[in-house]
């Protein structure tokens, strides 16, 4: 008996769903313009919400990936303060002394919280290979533990060995774009030489395709990595934006490492207690908190704009349902006269209202999908719509549909069957 009752209730629910779906489709077919105009607010609201959320999620994922390229739990010791701001005293930081590789060696001996440590310098040059020329290539001079701090993979060939770092010979690990532009196919660059300013470098490895970082403009694809000893033999490291990258030991918070490094650097530079720092220990983890705060504000703005559109759309759907109830008054009376319960009438109209909102939401999702396809090739990061965002959109449509249809559905459910049948 329990099985039969459950089976009967399921058939009843499916019947109500099917009838509501058919009535929603009929409303769309019979009153196309009225329905379209009423659902337009829902479409725009969902478009705003999903568009903002999808863009922010994609941008946030890109920025978090860029932050991971800085190195996890890593402090950047530099003469520049990375916090920036409208009142950034760049002239003050310009006068500071540059970082020295000798300072990094002293930090290695004195620091108890650091694990990996690397010195970094950079400049730009134009590279050639036979008749091919590529301008604005970044040349990075790095020390032994650089790859342990940074996040990138070697696609073809190998990374520098300890012997390469010691000898400082003319060898290079190049970016994917450099290899592709100079050799046609990236794989062809391995074992070949590339030239710049009358000098040659032998390619021993090619970095996997990375893409340009939004935060710091770091571009491994258009870069040439060399050992620091080689770089220092050609360029002046003091004029090549040098800084020291220090990664904390596992389990050590970056804030503690930052405090320790500040003390060590003050000792190295022999600063008295009254003298201010002439360096900055930049904590990458602080950027993550700032980014979360910024994205939270953008999300709030997107929800505010979308909320106004959804409210307008809700009134539009409610108007459709009021008109629909009035047009179907005699049908409602006939249904109740032959035994339909008030709850069945209520559920049918609520589901019809929800279906109408879902249709408007699906149109909004379709427009967002078109937007992601159109902007995906233009923006410096891929746009994607997460399944959780789609679920959120449909949930909003259902809730909005129920809220919009609750009053008209209640009116329909409470109708007197005799009076309703007489209504023309």
């Amino acid at each position: 008996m329990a099985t039969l009752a459950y089976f009967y209730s399921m058939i009843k629910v499916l019947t109500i769903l099917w009838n509501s779906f058919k009535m929603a489709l009929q409303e769309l077919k019979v009153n196309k313009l009225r329905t379209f105009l009423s659902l337009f607010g829902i479409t725009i609201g969902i478009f705003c919400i999903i568009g903002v959320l999808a863009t922010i999620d994609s941008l946030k994922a890109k920025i978090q990936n860029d932050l991971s390229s800085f190195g996890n739990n890593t402090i950047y010791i530099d003469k520049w303060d990375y916090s920036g701001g409208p009142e950034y005293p760049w002239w003050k930081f310009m006068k500071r002394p540059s970082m020295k590789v000798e300072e990094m060696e002293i930090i290695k001996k004195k620091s108890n919280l650091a694990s990996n440590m690397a010195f970094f310098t950079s400049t730009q040059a134009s590279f050639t290979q036979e008749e091919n020329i590529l301008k604005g290539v970044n040349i990075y001079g790095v020390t032994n533990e650089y790859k342990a701090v940074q996040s990138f993979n070697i696609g073809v060939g190998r990374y520098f060995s300890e012997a390469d770092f010691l000898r400082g010979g003319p060898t290079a690990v190049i970016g994917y774009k450099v290899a592709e532009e100079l050799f046609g196919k990236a794989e062809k660059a391995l074992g070949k030489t590339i030239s710049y300013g009358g000098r040659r470098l032998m390619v021993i490895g090619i970095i996997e395709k990375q893409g340009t970082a939004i935060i710091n403009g770091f571009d491994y694809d258009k870069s040439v990595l060399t050992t620091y000893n080689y770089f220092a033999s050609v360029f002046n490291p003091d004029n090549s934006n040098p800084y020291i990258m220090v990664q904390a030991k596992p389990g050590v918070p970056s804030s503690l490492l930052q405090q320790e490094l500040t003390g060590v650097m003050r000792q190295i530079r022999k600063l008295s207690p009254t003298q201010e720092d002439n360096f900055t220990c930049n904590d990458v983890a602080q950027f993550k908190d700032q980014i979360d705060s910024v994205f939270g504000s953008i999300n709030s703005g997107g929800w505010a704009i979308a909320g106004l559109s959804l409210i307008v759309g809700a009134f539009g759907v409610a108007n459709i349902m009021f008109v629909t109830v009035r047009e179907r008054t005699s049908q409602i009376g006939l249904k109740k006269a032959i035994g339909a319960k008030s709850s069945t009438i209520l559920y049918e109209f609520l589901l019809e209202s929800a279906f109408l909102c879902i249709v408007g939401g699906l149109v909004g999702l379709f427009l967002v999908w078109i937007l992601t396809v159109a902007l995906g090739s233009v923006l410096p990061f891929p746009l994607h719509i997460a399944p959780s965002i789609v679920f959120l959109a449909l949930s909003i449509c259902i809730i909005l549909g129920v809220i919009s249809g609750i009053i008209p559905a209640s009116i329909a459910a409470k109708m007197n069957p005799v009076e309703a049948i007489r209504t023309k």
Side-chain angles (χ1 to χ4, degrees):
M1 292 293 293
T3 305
L4 288 174
Y6 175 76
F7 182 71
Y8 175 76
S9 62
M10 285 298 296
I11 291 177
K12 185 177 180 182
V13 170
L14 292 174
T15 302
I16 293 174
L17 285 171
W18 176 244
N19 288 336
S20 301
F21 180 67
K22 285 195 300 182
M23 286 191 291
L25 287 180
Q26 183 180 356
E27 184 67 31
L28 289 171
K29 290 179 180 178
V30 175
N31 302 293
K32 296 184 180 66
L33 182 60
R34 184 182 73 186
T35 306
F36 168 76
L37 293 175
S38 298
L39 295 184
F40 188 67
I42 302 291
T43 298
I44 295 302
I46 294 299
F47 176 80
C48 290
I49 289 175
I50 304 308
V52 169
L53 291 180
T55 304
I56 288 176
D57 280 358
S58 302
L59 179 58
K60 192 173 182 179
K62 171 63 177 172
I63 291 177
Q64 287 176 340
N65 183 60
D66 291 348
L67 283 174
S68 68
S69 71
F70 275 99
N72 294 321
N73 225 16
T74 302
I75 302 296
Y76 281 65
I77 310 176
D78 199 343
K79 74 177 185 177
W80 299 100
D81 189 329
Y82 298 168
S83 60
E87 298 180 359
Y88 186 75
W90 59 268
W91 50 268
K92 173 182 175 181
F93 300 116
M94 178 73 76
K95 295 178 181 178
R96 288 178 171 182
S98 298
M99 298 297 111
K100 306 286 185 182
V101 72
E102 294 80 13
E103 292 174 329
M104 183 192 72
E105 298 299 334
I106 298 173
I107 293 172
K108 280 185 179 181
K109 296 175 182 178
K110 292 192 173 187
S111 175
N112 297 315
L113 303 179
S115 58
N116 300 307
M117 201 174 303
F119 196 81
F120 177 93
T121 55
S122 65
T123 189
Q124 282 195 343
S126 297
F127 278 81
T128 61
Q129 205 284 324
E130 294 182 352
E131 296 180 354
N132 298 321
I133 302 174
L134 184 60
K135 298 180 179 180
V137 178
N138 301 306
I139 305 177
Y140 303 142
V142 299
T143 54
N144 308 39
E145 298 175 0
Y146 179 73
K147 194 173 184 300
V149 178
Q150 288 287 284
S151 175
F152 64 90
N153 298 315
I154 303 298
V156 182
R158 64 176 179 86
Y159 190 62
F160 302 112
S161 64
E162 288 295 325
D164 292 325
F165 281 111
L166 289 172
R167 286 197 300 264
T171 56
V173 174
I174 67 175
Y176 186 89
K177 185 175 181 180
V178 176
E180 194 173 49
E181 291 286 336
L182 295 181
F183 293 91
K185 289 186 177 181
E187 296 78 11
K188 292 182 179 180
L190 192 63
K192 304 293 179 55
T193 59
I194 54 177
S195 303
Y196 73 99
R199 299 176 183 274
R200 292 188 174 187
L201 289 170
M202 175 171 284
V203 178
I204 62 171
I206 302 165
I207 302 172
E208 284 185 356
K209 193 172 184 179
Q210 300 277 316
T212 304
I214 295 175
I215 294 179
N216 61 348
F218 218 72
D219 189 357
Y220 277 119
D221 292 341
K222 198 175 179 181
S223 67
V224 172
L225 267 66
T226 65
T227 63
Y228 173 77
N229 286 342
Y230 172 79
F231 187 97
S233 69
V234 180
F235 304 101
N236 181 359
D238 291 343
N239 299 328
S240 303
N241 305 311
Y243 54 80
I244 302 169
M245 307 159 60
V246 186
Q247 192 172 45
K249 290 180 178 178
V252 176
S254 58
S255 56
L256 286 181
L257 178 62
Q258 184 183 36
Q259 293 174 15
E260 184 197 52
L261 293 176
T262 300
V264 172
M265 280 299 297
R266 288 186 66 85
Q267 291 177 25
I268 293 172
R269 295 198 167 178
K270 299 178 180 179
L271 299 175
S272 68
T274 57
Q275 288 180 292
E276 64 177 14
D277 296 339
N278 57 3
F279 61 90
T280 302
C281 293
N282 297 285
D283 187 356
V284 176
Q286 294 176 353
F287 299 151
K288 295 180 181 179
D289 297 335
Q290 295 174 3
I291 287 168
D292 289 340
S293 176
V294 170
F295 281 128
S297 301
I298 297 174
N299 264 331
S300 300
W303 276 99
I305 295 171
L308 292 174
S309 298
L310 289 175
I311 290 172
V312 173
F315 278 107
V317 173
N319 180 60
I320 289 179
M321 297 311 298
F322 275 116
V323 174
T324 301
V325 169
R326 188 165 57 250
E327 290 176 345
R328 296 180 192 164
T329 300
S330 58
Q331 295 178 23
I332 295 169
L334 184 59
K335 282 184 179 181
K336 297 193 79 173
I338 61 177
K341 295 182 179 179
S342 296
S343 59
T344 302
I345 302 296
L346 178 72
Y347 293 147
E348 282 184 352
F349 278 97
L350 285 179
L351 287 170
E352 181 178 350
S353 178
F355 279 132
L356 287 172
C357 286
I358 288 173
V359 171
L362 290 175
V363 175
L365 280 171
F366 178 69
L367 293 177
V368 174
W369 178 77
I370 292 176
L371 184 68
T372 59
V373 173
L375 297 180
S377 58
V378 178
L379 295 175
F381 58 92
L383 283 174
H384 65 274
I385 305 174
S388 59
I389 296 178
V390 176
F391 177 77
L392 174 64
L394 295 178
S395 299
I396 291 172
C397 291
I398 293 171
I399 293 171
L400 206 63
V402 171
I403 293 173
S404 302
I406 189 68
I407 296 177
S410 298
I411 293 173
K414 293 176 182 177
M415 282 183 179
N416 184 294
V418 177
E419 293 179 0
I421 291 174
R422 292 175 178 176
T423 302
K424 295 182 180 180

